[in-house]
Amino acid sequence: MMKTAIIMGTRPEIIKLEPIISKLSRNSSLIFTGQHYDYNMGLKFIEQLGIKTPDYSLKIIRNNPSVQMSQIISKLSKIFLELKPENVIVQGDTNTVLAASLCSLKSKIPISHVESGLRSFDWRMPEEHNRVTTDHISDLLFAPTKTAKNNLISEKVHGKSFVTGNTVIDAINKFSNISSKKSSISIPESDFILLTLHRAENVDDEKTLSQIIKAIIDSQEKIIFPIHPRTLKKLHEFSLYKKISNCKRIILLNAIGYFDMIELMKKCSFILTDSGGLQEEATSPSIRKKVLVLRKSSDRPESIESELSELVGTNYKKIVKAIKQTSENPRLPNQQTPYGNGNSSQKIIKLMSKYI
C-alpha cells in the first residue's frame, strides 16, 4: 500500500475518516490540524472511536480563517518534506481541507478528496469556497451520490471522479450497535426534539440566530440542545443564552461525544439542525429520523428530494410551523438512505490503490 497522509481537523472529518483509517495499512500517517481546538470537538472523538493517536498534532492559533489556513499550510509543508507521502487524503469542506489540499498541490502530492461534489450554490457559506476549490485541484474525487458526481462533471474538474456513497453510513453502521454502552449521558425516555446549530451564516448573524432561538422557545416543545462552542459564544454575545436557559422545556448540554449524539438521534422524535452530517446520519437504517434543516440552502439535496429531510429556512414563522407539523406527524416515507449501504470506505481504498 502506498504511503498515505490522512489529514483532519474537525469532528465530522474524524467520524467520516475513521472507516478509512481503520482499513488502511500501517504505512499511513495521521495528522490532526487542531482546527477544532476544543477537546470535546476534536481529540475526544479520536479517543472515543479508537483511532490511533495522531502522528502529528499541529498547534495553530485561534484566529481568522486566512491566518489559520496559512499556519496549517506552513506546518504541513515541513511535515510533507519529512514524510514524503505518495497520497494525501482529505474529507469534506473545512479550512483544514482547503489548506491541506493547497499544500499538497504545491508539494506535488496527489490529493484524494472524500465527499467531493457537494454544492449548496450559496457563496455566503465558507464551506462552499473550500469544497469547490478543493474539488478543482484534487486528483481523485469520491462523490457520495450521483448528484454530487454530476456537479463535478458539469464543472469539468480535472481529476477522476467516482460515486462511492458516504463513509458516514459506514461509521453509523459500525458504531450504532455499541453506542448505548459507550454513551455517558442520561437520556429521558419521553419524546423530545434534538437541536444542533453551528453554521456561521446562522450563529454569527444576530438577527438569524435570534429568530431561530425565538422559534425554538415559542414552539412549546421539549428540546435537547447540545451547544457547539462557537454557538455558545454567540448566544452569550447576543444576550440570547439567558432567554433559552430560562426555558424549562429546553435542556442545554455542553458539547457531547459521538456515542452520545448517536443515542440522542436514536431516541428523539425528529431533528432540527443546520448540520450536513446529521442530515446524512439521520437517513441510516439504525436512526431513520426526520430532519428539519435550518438553512436557506442545502448541500444535501438527496435527503430533501427523498423527503427524509425538509428545508425549512431560518424564518421564525416557518420554523414554528414546521415544528408543529412534524410534531404531529414525524413519520418518514419508505425511502432508503441515498448515501450508500455502508461499504464506501472499501470502495475508496480500492480506487486509491488502483489509480495512485
Side-chain angles (χ1 to χ4, degrees):
M1 185 70 179
M2 76 202 81
K3 193 172 186 180
T4 300
I6 306 155
I7 303 171
M8 56 191 188
T10 67
R11 169 192 179 277
E13 292 165 88
I14 294 165
I15 293 168
K16 292 180 177 183
L17 285 172
E18 190 282 336
I20 294 174
I21 294 167
S22 65
K23 292 181 180 67
L24 281 178
S25 71
R26 294 180 181 178
N27 198 26
S28 61
S29 297
L30 192 59
I31 303 169
F32 182 64
T33 67
Q35 182 179 328
H36 267 175
Y37 53 85
D38 186 282
Y39 169 76
N40 288 323
M41 300 300 293
L43 291 174
K44 178 178 180 179
F45 280 78
I46 291 175
E47 293 173 6
Q48 280 194 335
L49 300 185
I51 298 172
K52 70 174 184 176
T53 302
D55 299 282
Y56 300 87
S57 288
L58 311 187
K59 292 181 180 179
I60 57 176
I61 299 170
R62 283 180 274 166
N63 213 316
N64 65 58
S66 60
V67 173
Q68 188 180 71
M69 287 178 59
S70 68
Q71 290 177 333
I72 293 172
I73 290 171
S74 175
K75 291 175 184 293
L76 278 181
S77 63
K78 296 173 184 176
I79 294 171
F80 287 166
L81 286 172
E82 179 184 333
L83 279 180
K84 296 181 173 55
E86 301 165 89
N87 179 30
V88 164
I89 301 174
V90 294
Q91 189 285 325
D93 51 24
T94 66
N95 291 337
T96 286
V97 170
L98 180 54
S101 298
L102 289 170
C103 188
S104 302
L105 175 69
K106 295 305 180 181
S107 301
K108 298 182 179 180
I109 305 166
I111 304 161
S112 295
H113 186 198
V114 178
E115 197 181 78
S116 63
L118 272 63
R119 297 291 183 271
S120 66
F121 305 102
D122 184 349
W123 206 244
R124 295 174 309 128
M125 296 175 59
E127 296 86 357
E128 189 79 348
H129 316 158
N130 295 344
R131 58 185 164 229
V132 169
T133 306
T134 299
D135 282 340
H136 279 270
I137 61 177
S138 293
D139 298 275
L140 297 182
L141 301 101
F142 304 118
T145 64
K146 289 182 180 178
T147 299
K149 183 177 178 181
N150 287 339
N151 289 335
L152 298 171
I153 293 171
S154 68
E155 292 177 15
K156 296 181 172 58
V157 298
H158 88 93
K160 294 181 173 67
S161 57
F162 309 89
V163 177
T164 60
N166 198 306
T167 56
V168 76
I169 303 299
D170 300 33
I172 284 283
N173 288 353
K174 180 175 180 178
F175 294 112
S176 61
N177 290 333
I178 63 171
S179 60
S180 60
K181 295 179 181 178
K182 298 283 188 178
S183 175
S184 60
I185 61 172
S186 177
I187 300 170
E189 294 299 323
S190 56
D191 289 343
F192 64 91
I193 301 166
L194 174 61
L195 167 68
T196 76
L197 290 170
H198 76 282
R199 292 281 181 182
E201 67 267 25
N202 282 344
V203 303
D204 289 0
D205 185 281
E206 184 174 1
K207 183 179 178 181
T208 300
L209 186 58
S210 296
Q211 286 210 60
I212 294 172
I213 296 302
K214 180 173 168 52
I216 297 307
I217 294 172
D218 291 353
S219 72
Q220 303 291 312
E221 297 288 344
K222 186 172 183 179
I223 292 169
I224 294 182
F225 183 13
I227 307 180
H228 189 286
R230 177 195 195 120
T231 309
L232 180 61
K233 179 183 176 183
K234 293 299 179 178
L235 286 171
H236 283 292
E237 184 179 324
F238 300 145
S239 300
L240 294 169
Y241 183 80
K242 190 173 182 180
K243 290 181 181 179
I244 195 167
S245 63
N246 285 340
C247 183
K248 293 181 180 179
R249 294 179 307 279
I250 300 175
I251 299 173
L252 304 179
L253 303 175
N254 293 325
I256 59 175
Y258 182 49
F259 299 118
D260 299 330
M261 184 59 76
I262 291 177
E263 287 300 296
L264 286 172
M265 286 193 288
K266 282 182 183 178
K267 295 184 178 181
C268 71
S269 298
F270 60 95
I271 299 168
L272 290 164
T273 189
D274 58 9
S275 163
L278 285 188
Q279 289 177 62
E280 297 158 347
E281 290 169 325
T283 68
S284 69
S286 58
I287 305 294
R288 281 196 60 78
K289 294 292 168 66
K290 180 72 175 282
V291 175
L292 301 184
V293 183
L294 302 176
R295 286 163 65 180
K296 295 179 181 179
S297 60
S298 177
D299 37 28
R300 272 76 174 182
E302 301 87 357
S303 62
I304 294 169
E305 290 163 3
S306 59
E307 298 182 354
L308 299 173
S309 296
E310 178 184 343
L311 187 62
V312 174
T314 58
N315 175 269
Y316 166 80
K317 289 183 179 179
K318 290 182 178 179
I319 296 172
V320 172
K321 182 180 178 181
I323 292 174
K324 184 176 185 298
Q325 290 177 339
T326 309
S327 293
E328 293 171 354
N329 180 20
R331 287 179 294 179
L332 290 173
N334 188 24
Q335 296 277 3
Q336 293 184 335
T337 176
Y339 300 110
N341 58 11
N343 65 349
S344 301
S345 53
Q346 292 174 334
K347 291 180 180 178
I348 288 168
I349 290 171
K350 189 176 291 186
L351 287 164
M352 288 191 300
S353 298
K354 181 177 180 180
Y355 290 101
I356 292 182

